[in-house]
Amino acid sequence: MIERIHTSEVDPDADEVAIAGHVHEIRDLGGLVFLIVRDREGLIQVVFKEEREPELFEAVQDAGSEDVVRVVGKPLESDQAPGGVELAPTAYEVLDEADSPLPLEISKDVDVDLSTRLDNRALDLRKPETLAVFSLRSKLMTAMEEWFDEEGFVDIKTPLISKGGAEGGAELFPILYYDRDAFLSQSPQLYKQILMAAGYEAVYETGTAFRAEDFATSRHVSEIAMFDVELAYIEDHDDVMDVQEESLRHAIRAVVENAERELDLLDVDLTVPEEDFPRITFDEALDLLETEFGHFPEDPTDLDTKGEKLLGEHFAEQGHPAFFVVGYPDEKFYYMQDVEGDEIASRKFDLIYEGQELSSGGQREHDVERMVEVMEEEGVEQANFEFYIEALSFGTPPHGGYGLGIDRLVQQVAGLDNIKEAIMFPRDPNRLEP
Ligand code: ATP
Ligand code: MG
């Protein structure tokens, strides 16, 4: 490895240090050149003086924005320098030169629209604020996985290519699989359940799901990072919500504790949701929307975007950034249902975080006969689910789980307007590149 330390690790009392990174900024003041070098952890100022180091001063005249350089130097305390320390160079080396001009400014805080940023994503990813999003994301998801590892969940991988979907046909991406039609996976749901039948008891997957939705919103993308969880021997869906609540709290706490620099760069004041997340029924949610806001969702069996936002504001005012809505009236055959007369309350929940759906989950129907009945009532093509029905028919413990949109979680935690800012190389109906 090339010898170097991070800019954040430079000790003002050290005799000499080596750092390396991109040239963030050059300021030429006659006999004095200030070179600001950027690495993953921050910035450092290197001061080249014509009188003190004439040869290096000569060499740095050719420096250009975004060149990759390595500098050896003596740290000196300095009030004006970012981080309070600068380097007096003793060696300067260019590892690679950057072309100019740059199609996107890295160091200057100029307002660029998201689409231009994404068109030039390779450069946009270099910006300290953009890097902060992905550093935060990495810390968040490491902490999330850590929680499940410690609780004894098995880390699984389910296939991304399948014969059919877990949900509907319209949202599937067809692909050619050798000489057959196949689809990109919409959700690992059916496979997670098969693993419950197989006795794996508790599993999680950090995976990918594809949705061919024709959207133009700030919270949808075509390729989604999904965090999926499934656990067996539950009493009911409350056990699943408990897992979701505790793991989310743990992950957010880890960000508050370990990503101070990132939160600072993003100008986010993040609080850990320490209090119990409220759990309200779907009917209570509708009542609240009607009485508090005079709002009626268009589809009376689901909350709409506006409804989620209004309820989010209502609970935020009471100090709850997250809450569950439980017991939707009309749900998929794989959710267990509580039926009373004509009333159906499925054991499905949504978690709303910062006014936006973050996950859907619930208790599954593990009684295959009952599930097949519901499939028939709903007119679901059973042929598409034979492998699943069969797998569950050989003894399946009560179980439940959820799928959480990782990109949406990062969007909310990092305070981003658009979900695409939370994804390195996002995909939407118009974007396949870079
Ligand atoms: P929505 O109603 O918000 O479109 P959904 O109910 O269709 O979401 P689910 O099938 O419940 O989505 O998927 C579980 C989670 O995956 C969602 O709660 C969300 O966080 C995330 N998710 C689903 N679809 C998308 C998408 N197109 N883009 C980004 N995240 C998504
Ligand atoms: Mg959902």
Side-chain angles (χ1 to χ4, degrees), residues 239-264:
D239 291 334
V240 184
M241 285 187 266
D242 290 345
V243 163
Q244 161 127 60
E245 185 172 331
E246 279 174 43
S247 57
L248 184 61
R249 188 174 291 128
H250 172 86
I252 293 177
R253 188 180 295 125
V255 169
V256 169
E257 287 171 4
N258 310 324
E260 219 175 306
R261 201 178 76 83
E262 289 85 344
L263 291 170
D264 224 38

Side-chain angles (χ1 to χ4, degrees), residues 348 350 357 360:
K348 181 211 162 174
D350 272 3
E357 177 188 324
S360 287

Side-chain angles (χ1 to χ4, degrees), residues 154-171:
V154 179
D155 180 2
I156 60 160
K157 280 282 173 269
T158 56
L160 291 181
I161 299 175
S162 57
K163 231 175 103 179
E167 311 264 333
E171 293 181 1

Side-chain angles (χ1 to χ4, degrees), residues 105 114 164 188 223 273 299 324 333 407:
E105 282 288 350
L114 181 58
E223 181 175 320
D299 172 1
F324 290 102
F333 58 85
D407 312 308

